[in-house]
Amino acid sequence: MASSSTTSRSTSAGSSSSTARSAALIERARSVTPGGVNSPVRAFRAVGGTPRFIASAEGPWLTDVDGNRYVDLICSWGPMILGHRHPSVLSAVTEAAGKGFSFGTPSENEVALASEIVDRVEPLEQVRLVSSGTEATMSALRLARGATGRSKVVKFAGCYHGHVDALLASAGSGLATFALPDSAGVPDSSAGETIVLPYNDVAAVEAAFAEHGDEIACVITEASPGNMGVVPPEPGLTEALRRITRAHGALLISDEVMTGFRCSASGWYGLEGPYDGGAPDLFTFGKVMGGGFPAAAFGGRADLMGHLAPDGPVYQAGTLSGNPVATAAGLATLKGCTPEVYARLDTVAHSIADAAHTELSAAGVPHTIQWAGSMFSVFFREGAVRTYDDAKSQDTAAFSRFFNAMLDQGVHLPPSAYEAWFVSASHNDDAVEAVLQALPAAARAASETHGSL
Ligand SMILES: *Cc1c(COP(=O)(O)O)cnc(C)c1O
């Protein structure tokens, strides 16, 4: 229930709050860094306004350099599943750092983290640790090509797998479109081996394999897409991908960088698997498993992973791979992901999503909320979103007004209409209440010029 004490207690960013220091910092940043940011979405281009420079964070709260406090619904795009500066992760990191930062030799934390991941996700026999989700998918792709001796890869429009050359292609409608690169600097020779298909469309996959079946190394898919907003696979899709790839001697890669250890203790696989026709061949992980530090992984059956150097001919390496501090953070985070944590994520997500639905409905704003476990996103359009084209038909202007009204009231959503709203187990009743209090005005802001744009 709304209580005025919650509002007055939190020093949330109100309309009178200052963003002077953030504004000065982004100005300075622009002179030394392209766009002033080290990852494009942080620049607020889609929503307008001043990106907030965060000075510190605790639990569900962010504090910016001007002293404004926000409920964090980005959670570093997923990793902060336990909340910021969780005591057990902080002490694991402090202890590890006290023993040295990086050795360039094997160290024990790597074994412990790899074991924790292998134990949680049943089809995994081995994992290799890397430093980012991009590295994980890039390496899985190379492994698939090396193991099959084939070069083409199938991906789905709207699925993001990091900024790997071959996977940046997402355009293309119709059946088996040979994609044009989405990014400048990606040569046709890279993207030309990528077949982009519409998501949730088994017939398109069948057709692509009918034409190119013996040239396709793998199909890579987000286990349950979260990078076009949350668009879960329709029942039977994963099994169909398994059946088709197996029939043609291609591999199936399930990208769980976002869903891994978030949707459930064993990721999306834990919710949807095991599959009658068998598990995906390779999995990729990142985000949660690094606990906020650069750690990611890819893995699968031992026979397949055996193609990697030093056992096999597929080269893959990293100076900081398995970094002792990052692996300590990841391990402490995964150990902290108890059944109670998943139950709390569920409660928090449903409280916020239900209230968003109520307030957007009351304000007459067309919207759809979609789920993958406790991961959800709000699309500013009516009707189920099954494909990237559906997702792109949102009213992004309405989202921008909504985003800025939330930000002004002290709630920091991801600055894009195509993202999940990330919650943590540290989102306590105060934090949830602050979100609920901000929703009515934000919903009204979203509705303001609806239909007149
Ligand atoms: C975030 C993400 C990646 C890329 O991970 P980075 O650590 O940003 O390189 C890859 N795949 C999916 C599904 C992701 O959500």
Side-chain angles (χ1 to χ4, degrees):
M1 281 286 95
S3 75
S4 51
S5 65
T6 307
T7 316
S8 51
R9 218 177 331 120
S10 65
T11 51
S12 61
S15 45
S16 61
S17 70
S18 169
T19 56
R21 287 185 180 176
S22 280
L25 275 171
I26 191 70
E27 200 52 42
R28 197 177 132 206
R30 284 193 188 110
S31 68
V32 288
T33 299
V37 293
N38 289 305
S39 202
V41 70
R42 298 179 197 169
F44 273 32
R45 292 284 162 83
V47 292
T50 304
R52 305 304 200 262
F53 281 69
I54 300 305
S56 67
E58 172 107 53
W61 301 100
L62 300 172
T63 302
D64 73 14
V65 289
D66 292 288
N68 304 306
R69 200 159 80 122
Y70 306 89
V71 180
D72 183 11
L73 293 182
I74 302 180
C75 287
S76 190
W77 307 90
M80 308 320 300
I81 193 166
L82 302 179
H84 295 280
R85 274 200 282 154
H86 187 276
S88 68
V89 182
L90 182 58
S91 70
V93 166
T94 309
E95 193 194 325
K99 294 177 180 168
F101 305 158
S102 182
F103 309 126
T105 68
S107 63
E108 189 169 346
N109 282 347
E110 300 168 64
V111 192
L113 180 57
S115 302
E116 178 73 24
I117 293 169
V118 166
D119 288 349
R120 277 174 177 253
V121 187
E122 190 269 326
L124 294 177
E125 292 175 351
Q126 295 191 335
V127 293
R128 167 83 35 105
L129 301 183
V130 294
S131 299
S132 70
T134 296
E135 261 186 276
T137 59
M138 179 185 79
S139 304
L141 213 61
R142 182 181 306 138
L143 175 55
R145 285 168 160 167
T148 58
R150 300 173 177 181
S151 58
K152 291 196 192 308
V153 303
V154 171
K155 80 170 287 284
F156 297 103
C159 284
Y160 177 68
H161 304 289
H163 57 102
V164 179
D165 275 0
L167 299 178
L168 271 182
S170 80
S173 52
L175 233 46
T177 309
F178 280 95
L180 288 174
D182 250 7
S183 164
V186 176
D188 292 347
S189 56
S190 292
E193 298 292 336
T194 305
I195 300 170
V196 181
L197 302 176
Y199 191 63
N200 271 324
D201 188 343
V202 175
V205 181
E206 302 265 23
F209 272 89
E211 197 175 346
H212 303 287
D214 57 357
E215 302 164 79
I216 296 171
C218 63
V219 171
I220 184 168
T221 183
E222 285 191 59
S224 178
N227 284 292
M228 51 177 145
V230 173
V231 180
E234 285 173 355
L237 178 72
T238 314
E239 279 96 337
L241 297 180
R242 177 67 290 180
R243 175 175 52 74
I244 297 165
T245 47
R246 181 160 287 164
H248 291 271
L251 301 182
L252 177 60
I253 304 175
S254 180
D255 183 352
E256 292 236 30
V257 170
M258 184 182 288
T259 51
F261 319 111
R262 173 165 284 276
C263 286
S264 81
S266 40
W268 179 254
Y269 182 84
L271 291 182
E272 202 186 51
Y275 303 102
D276 283 343
D281 299 286
L282 292 170
F283 292 80
T284 55
F285 304 99
K287 298 195 168 96
V288 168
M289 65 153 283
F293 284 76
F298 64 104
R301 295 188 314 275
D303 65 303
L304 200 48
M305 295 300 283
H307 285 88
L308 287 173
D311 288 347
V314 179
Y315 194 70
Q316 193 280 327
T319 302
L320 296 179
S321 293
N323 173 270
V325 183
T327 48
L331 186 63
T333 298
L334 290 185
K335 294 273 191 212
C337 286
T338 59
E340 294 72 37
V341 159
Y342 290 108
R344 180 66 194 167
L345 291 176
D346 229 47
T347 304
V348 171
H350 279 94
S351 303
I352 292 175
D354 288 354
H357 173 60
T358 303
E359 298 305 337
L360 289 168
S361 302
V365 179
H367 66 281
T368 304
I369 299 179
Q370 294 193 172
W371 294 87
S374 65
M375 208 171 90
F376 73 99
S377 68
V378 180
F379 293 95
F380 282 73
R381 57 157 260 161
E382 232 143 52
V385 175
R386 299 177 57 252
T387 66
Y388 191 33
D389 282 343
D390 292 345
K392 283 192 292 192
S393 73
Q394 289 186 81
D395 184 348
T396 51
F399 172 78
S400 297
R401 293 190 298 274
F402 180 82
F403 169 88
N404 280 296
M406 292 295 277
L407 193 65
D408 284 346
Q409 297 175 89
V411 179
H412 204 319
L413 286 165
S416 158
Y418 299 94
E419 299 289 349
W421 297 15
F422 291 101
V423 300
S424 82
S426 75
H427 281 68
N428 55 18
D429 293 347
D430 272 4
V432 171
E433 188 57 43
V435 176
L436 302 198
Q437 291 206 11
L439 282 167
R444 284 194 300 275
S447 77
E448 254 151 35
T449 56
H450 177 69
S452 68
L453 282 175

